[in-house]
Amino acid sequence: MKAEPGLNKTGKEALILGIETSCDETAAAVVAGGRRILSSIVSSQVELHARFGGVVPEIASRHHLTLLNTIIDQALEEAGVKFADLQALAVSHGPGLVGALLVGVATAKALAYALRLPLVAVNHLEAHLYANYLNGAPLTYPAVILIVSGGHTELLLLEGPGVIRSLGRTRDDAAGEAFDKVARLLELGYPGGPLIDKLAREGNPAAIDFPRSWLGDDSRYDFSFSGLKTAVINHLYHARRKGETVSIPDLVASFQEALVEVLVEKTLAAARSCRAKSVLIAGGVAANSHLRERMQQRLSPALPDLTLHVPPLELCTDNAAMIAAAAYPLYRQGLFAPLNLNAHPGLQIGSA
Ligand code: KG4
Ligand code: ZN
């Protein structure tokens, strides 16, 4: 019997094993029919990198190498499936750290060859969007997408399924990078985003009027966060010189307020001018409680017909369920990767 696309030979939903090793999370997941998560195992290396204040690429690659096979076994076991039940393998092949990506890519190729299964190469950045599809919400087009992670800040327009157009991106620091750098400056720990998110709840967001960089009309959908970071450094420097004590909760709440306001207002402006029917947020910074709240508060009254899709918290940061989900439409179209697939550290949005 020949299987229908998307279904396996028994007529059940196709099972895809996703593999993710682009940065400091070693992850594997089994997803059925592109939407139903049967297992999602994520092993974070945060503790290994914390004392360096950021990800050390060499340590990340070595750790992926040690852990990945065990994580894959756990994902299969938790899903209650065997290698023989799978229909395809999916791997994140960029963007990311080259050594880290190579571990996932080499493992996926070896498995695809040994199991004689198709291999699907997934763009890690685009995969972040799928955290929203896994949530089960149907999407209406056109959709404006804000991807905010440790390495990227992108505003995109999804005109229809798979038709992506870039509206703008950061010119310097990514939103997550700004959170991490400010946290490092304040010696709060790594990664900085969740720590600032928590500490900011005790502070006054209006305490310090940090700059918002709106940029000119031609760049109205671009972002710049390095000036905000410098403003935080200058504020601390001047306060200390004058012998004033600085309330760290007030400082981080005001920093977060400035950053979130820019993200939300630019997304709203793009949604308005593109007559978007939905807005999606994705990436690690989409876990930020203030961003989630503020986006809802601003969009709902301004554009009442628009649907805001916010991924569940556990799917905002790197995971392999989003990789398996993103692979599903490619698998259905028979868009398979060759066994000489390489890692692409600088892969852009919209590139295969
Ligand atoms: O998407 P992700 O897991 O990895 C990349 O692909 O970069 O994003 C990680 C980033 C880090 O910069 C981290 O500080 C940030 O997401 N992040 C947050 C929060 N949780 C994670 N930033 C702000 N608030 C949070 N709650
Ligand atoms: Zn990511």
Side-chain angles (χ1 to χ4, degrees):
M1 183 176 81
K2 192 167 181 310
E4 285 290 308
L7 300 179
N8 65 22
K9 285 182 188 143
T10 60
K12 293 196 182 132
E13 295 164 305
L15 297 182
I16 300 184
L17 173 73
I19 295 175
E20 159 60 38
T21 63
S22 67
C23 191
D24 61 343
E25 260 94 25
T26 317
V30 179
V31 174
R35 291 176 88 97
R36 221 157 45 81
I37 302 177
L38 301 189
S39 65
S40 176
I41 312 288
V42 180
S43 169
S44 170
Q45 305 177 4
V46 158
E47 280 166 23
L48 288 178
H49 301 281
R51 69 193 177 100
F52 300 103
V55 178
V56 183
E58 183 62 22
I59 295 179
S61 326
R62 283 172 190 272
H63 209 66
H64 288 314
L65 204 54
T66 316
L67 267 188
L68 185 56
N69 286 334
T70 315
I71 298 290
I72 291 174
D73 288 345
Q74 276 181 27
L76 293 174
E77 196 183 323
E78 200 174 300
V81 301
K82 301 202 161 29
F83 277 125
D85 299 318
L86 300 172
Q87 272 68 56
L89 292 155
V91 66
S92 163
H93 70 131
L97 303 169
V98 67
L101 287 165
L102 277 171
V103 177
V105 168
T107 305
K109 288 196 295 192
L111 285 173
Y113 180 67
L115 301 167
R116 296 176 190 280
L117 284 177
L119 175 66
V120 182
V122 171
N123 181 321
H124 173 92
L125 218 45
E126 290 179 22
H128 269 297
L129 298 181
Y130 283 79
N132 287 287
Y133 301 91
L134 283 162
N135 204 7
L139 200 59
T140 43
Y141 302 98
V144 164
I145 298 164
L146 176 71
I147 300 187
V148 267
S149 70
H152 294 85
T153 301
E154 308 259 350
L155 201 52
L156 308 161
L157 180 65
L158 194 59
E159 292 171 335
V163 189
I164 292 187
R165 192 154 66 79
S166 171
L167 296 174
R169 58 166 56 115
T170 185
R171 296 172 164 206
D172 39 58
D173 290 352
E177 190 181 353
F179 271 103
D180 294 339
K181 285 180 173 169
V182 166
R184 187 160 64 188
L185 176 78
L186 300 172
E187 296 176 359
L188 297 178
Y190 173 85
L195 298 166
I196 289 184
D197 189 352
K198 198 161 161 232
L199 196 55
R201 283 176 217 152
E202 296 159 29
N204 172 11
I208 307 156
D209 187 18
F210 282 128
R212 276 77 165 150
S213 69
W214 299 112
L215 305 173
D217 270 358
D218 292 349
S219 315
R220 63 190 188 282
Y221 300 136
D222 281 343
F223 302 89
S224 167
F225 297 118
S226 69
L228 174 58
K229 182 186 64 191
T230 308
V232 174
I233 296 172
N234 287 344
H235 183 87
L236 269 180
Y237 174 76
H238 291 301
R240 283 178 183 158
R241 271 192 60 174
K242 286 190 228 152
E244 294 169 2
T245 44
V246 177
S247 153
I248 300 300
D250 282 357
L251 183 80
V252 295
S254 304
F255 155 78
Q256 180 177 264
E257 174 72 20
L259 190 144
V260 164
E261 188 180 327
V262 173
L263 292 177
V264 171
E265 294 308 319
K266 291 197 178 226
T267 306
L268 173 60
R272 260 203 190 112
S273 89
C274 300
R275 298 176 192 281
K277 296 225 168 62
S278 45
V279 163
L280 276 72
I281 60 171
V285 183
N288 184 266
S289 58
H290 190 50
L291 174 64
R292 294 163 83 94
E293 260 167 48
R294 182 58 71 85
M295 197 65 98
Q296 187 75 55
Q297 283 165 0
R298 282 291 283 140
L299 292 187
S300 303
L303 301 168
D305 297 331
L306 178 141
T307 313
L308 172 64
H309 299 264
V310 177
L313 281 180
E314 68 280 8
L315 293 178
C316 286
T317 42
D318 289 349
N319 64 83
M322 68 184 198
I323 304 299
Y328 183 73
L330 302 173
Y331 163 76
R332 290 203 54 163
Q333 292 168 64
L335 295 173
F336 304 136
L339 286 181
N340 64 358
L341 176 72
N342 207 345
H344 294 281
L347 195 67
Q348 303 273 323
I349 276 275
S351 324

